[in-house]
Amino acid sequence: MEENGEAVNAQWTIKEGDHVVLKREDVFKAVQVQKKRKIIFEKQWFFLDNAIGELYGTNFEVASGGTLQPRKVKHEENPQETKEAGMDNRNIVDDGRSQKLTRDDIETLKEQGLKGKEIVQQLIENSTTFRDKTEFAQEKYIKKKKKKYESDITVLKPSTRILALMYHGREPGKICHLRYDTLAQMLTLGNIHAGSKVIVFDTCAGLVLGAVMERMGGYGSVIQMYPGGGPVRAATDSFGFPAHFYQTLHEFPLAKVNALLAGALSLESEEKSGLEDSSTGARELPQKTVSEAVEREAEHSSPDVEAIVVTSEGPEDKSKAERENQRELRVQEKKIKLEEKRKRLLAAASLLEGRNADGLIIASRFHPCPVVLSLLKFVAPSRPFVIYCQYKEPLIECYTKLREQGGAISLRLSETWLRHYQILPNRTHPKLLMSGGGGYLLSGTTVVMDTAKSLGPQRVEEPAPKRQKLEEADV
């Protein structure tokens, strides 16, 4: 039992090399914990050395010198000044003269070593209109000043929800404006669970791929389809998955899907062409011999320089051999990389050739229709698929194509709606600033198409009980 407890504590303890998410108010940032590495977050710089060994979720305060100090948990009481409050704010004029402290005075307080809480207290004492404000307005004022002057940072363990909030708040364009509640709907509609084989086509910086891998827990197979020269996994790496999670991850280029479906996928020719390019490049580099270089330099140099060049043939021969050895090493490294890439492609192709995937998840900036029609052929019957798009028009076209082509039932085009509420005593109301839209989802279930189905008019057969009654009536 003690060993299990230690393992759990180690799992939730911040260690060097871990990927973490820094949080301050509603702002997030994903970083990797490294000693003596300067982190800049929300116009502040600090080091994460003191965070190593602490538990995830610990609230830190930035001290002098950029060091982090764990903040002790204690119930803060409102200062005595907040007990005096006005009835309303009608006589308060925001003309910028109510605060006696200037910017220089506040900077002087910071240089004297005063913490954020003490600076906020000084601002309250030097405000001429604070006591005339209502109790709600006072709390709002204090909250605003704490956000500006208190430097509290929370270190969180990465998760799908946290990273989705981070990307949607800071860089929504990188994830095609995919909102976290829509991502949760995708995982639910796609029936993502451990032990399944899922195909993922993701151009959202790898956020959807990471969410699928987290839900599967390192069990099963994930085939990532990627456009271009290689997969993008910036958000996936921010999850900080263990090494065995990546053993279940496979990759396959989208450009080779048609060749794989036609049974004409050839990897050996590409490998040979790549090696030939690297070898020819290596042969073209040492075209000029040392003697030619010496003659060329001698024509444009003085006799003294010429003598120096001629006598340096020995060292040049040695440097030439070293350069050739380096080129040979580079060629060998390229051969090894090409062989590894070939093995990965073969492994992914063998998984796709069975055409028995348990699900398909698509979230990309490309038009979904051709991608869906191609990748659905790798999915087994009676399996779910989910397509995300920021706009509904491409999904409407995809919906129509699937209805015409067949092979899918229970097609549903939906939009998720989300509203945040402020929950405070006597002040519960929807927040004024909220997301305008979370994108659209097209979901459905694959079925086997009847290829023997005739194109002409078909005779509709009566049910067996009714057919029996008709036969008896004819007799």
Side-chain angles (χ1 to χ4, degrees), residues 341-359:
K341 184 178 181 180
R342 179 174 175 273
K343 289 181 179 179
R344 290 197 300 268
L345 285 173
L346 287 174
S350 62
L351 290 173
L352 292 171
E353 283 176 348
R355 302 195 180 188
N356 57 354
D358 295 319

Side-chain angles (χ1 to χ4, degrees), residues 2 6 35 39 54 75-76 125 138 156 178 200 282 311 326 345 393 422 431 440 444-445 455 459 469:
E2 293 181 359
E6 292 177 358
K35 290 185 176 180
I39 305 295
E54 300 289 342
H75 299 285
E76 295 184 358
E125 293 176 356
Q138 289 178 353
L156 302 174
L178 175 63
V200 179
T311 56
Q326 291 177 359
L345 285 173
E393 288 77 12
Q422 172 183 287
K431 288 190 175 181
Y440 300 86
T445 306
L455 298 177
R459 179 184 175 185
K469 289 181 179 180

Side-chain angles (χ1 to χ4, degrees), residues 362-383:
I362 296 176
S364 74
R365 63 180 181 272
F366 300 110
H367 198 290
C369 199
V371 179
V372 172
L373 296 179
S374 299
L375 297 183
L376 272 181
K377 298 175 182 178
F378 297 110
V379 183
S382 188
R383 298 296 192 275

Side-chain angles (χ1 to χ4, degrees), residues 448-461:
V448 178
M449 288 190 296
D450 187 5
T451 56
K453 194 174 181 181
S454 62
L455 298 177
Q458 298 180 359
R459 179 184 175 185
V460 180
E461 295 186 358

Side-chain angles (χ1 to χ4, degrees), residues 290-436:
V290 178
S291 59
E292 292 175 350
V294 170
E295 291 176 0
R296 186 174 63 254
E297 292 181 6
E299 292 175 357
H300 305 283
S301 60
S302 62
D304 296 336
V305 177
E306 182 180 359
I308 294 173
V309 174
V310 171
T311 56
S312 61
E313 288 182 1
E316 284 190 3
D317 289 338
K318 186 177 180 181
S319 62
K320 176 185 175 183
E322 291 178 355
R323 287 195 299 269
E324 289 180 353
N325 290 334
Q326 291 177 359
R327 294 189 191 98
E328 290 295 332
L329 289 175
R330 284 196 294 268
V331 171
Q332 293 297 328
E333 289 177 358
K334 192 164 186 177
K335 284 183 180 180
I336 294 172
K337 290 181 179 179
L338 288 171
E339 182 64 24
E340 291 177 353
K341 184 178 181 180
R342 179 174 175 273
K343 289 181 179 179
R344 290 197 300 268
L345 285 173
L346 287 174
S350 62
L351 290 173
L352 292 171
E353 283 176 348
R355 302 195 180 188
N356 57 354
D358 295 319
L360 173 64
I361 305 291
I362 296 176
S364 74
R365 63 180 181 272
F366 300 110
H367 198 290
C369 199
V371 179
V372 172
L373 296 179
S374 299
L375 297 183
L376 272 181
K377 298 175 182 178
F378 297 110
V379 183
S382 188
R383 298 296 192 275
F385 62 91
V386 187
I387 305 105
Y388 166 81
C389 187
Q390 185 181 354
Y391 311 102
K392 63 181 178 181
E393 288 77 12
L395 292 182
I396 291 175
E397 182 181 345
C398 189
Y399 177 92
T400 306
K401 289 284 186 181
L402 289 173
R403 288 293 300 270
E404 294 175 354
Q405 176 180 294
I409 60 173
S410 301
L411 293 176
R412 181 188 177 193
L413 180 59
S414 60
E415 177 189 12
T416 56
W417 189 77
L418 178 71
R419 166 171 277 183
H420 288 277
Y421 278 81
Q422 172 183 287
I423 308 297
L424 289 172
N426 300 324
R427 286 169 290 166
T428 298
H429 59 78
K431 288 190 175 181
L432 300 177
L433 299 178
M434 57 179 289
S435 174

Side-chain angles (χ1 to χ4, degrees), residues 33-167:
V33 179
Q34 294 179 0
K35 290 185 176 180
K36 298 181 180 180
R37 180 186 177 186
K38 190 176 183 180
I39 305 295
I40 300 176
F41 179 48
E42 287 294 284
K43 300 181 181 179
Q44 276 192 325
W45 63 271
F46 51 87
F47 301 94
L48 292 174
D49 298 36
N50 291 352
I52 299 175
E54 300 289 342
L55 294 177
Y56 282 104
T58 304
N59 193 16
F60 296 92
E61 182 181 5
V62 181
S64 59
T67 59
L68 295 182
Q69 300 296 334
R71 178 181 287 275
K72 296 181 180 179
V73 179
K74 58 182 180 180
H75 299 285
E76 295 184 358
E77 296 181 358
N78 292 333
Q80 296 180 357
E81 286 78 357
T82 60
K83 294 182 179 179
E84 300 180 15
M87 297 298 295
D88 53 52
N89 300 326
R90 70 179 69 181
N91 296 323
I92 298 177
V93 180
D94 188 10
D95 55 359
R97 302 176 182 178
S98 59
Q99 182 56 247
K100 298 178 181 179
L101 291 180
T102 62
R103 170 58 58 183
D104 295 335
D105 296 335
I106 295 174
E107 292 297 330
T108 304
L109 294 176
K110 288 182 179 180
E111 294 175 358
Q112 292 176 357
L114 267 69
K115 297 182 179 180
K117 184 179 178 180
E118 297 170 346
I119 294 176
V120 172
Q121 186 63 35
Q122 290 288 333
L123 291 172
I124 293 173
E125 293 176 356
N126 288 275
S127 176
T128 58
T129 60
F130 183 81
R131 293 176 180 82
D132 298 332
K133 294 181 179 181
T134 62
E135 184 179 353
F136 295 155
Q138 289 178 353
E139 291 182 9
K140 190 175 181 180
Y141 178 86
I142 294 173
K143 183 178 179 181
K144 181 180 178 181
K145 296 304 179 183
K146 281 184 177 181
K147 182 178 180 180
K148 185 174 182 179
Y149 294 104
E150 288 190 0
S151 54
D152 292 351
I153 294 172
T154 307
V155 181
L156 302 174
K157 192 174 182 65
S159 66
T160 299
R161 182 183 63 84
I162 293 173
L163 290 176
L165 281 168
M166 180 189 74
Y167 273 97

Side-chain angles (χ1 to χ4, degrees), residues 435-446:
S435 174
Y440 300 86
L441 294 178
L442 176 61
S443 59
T445 306
T446 58

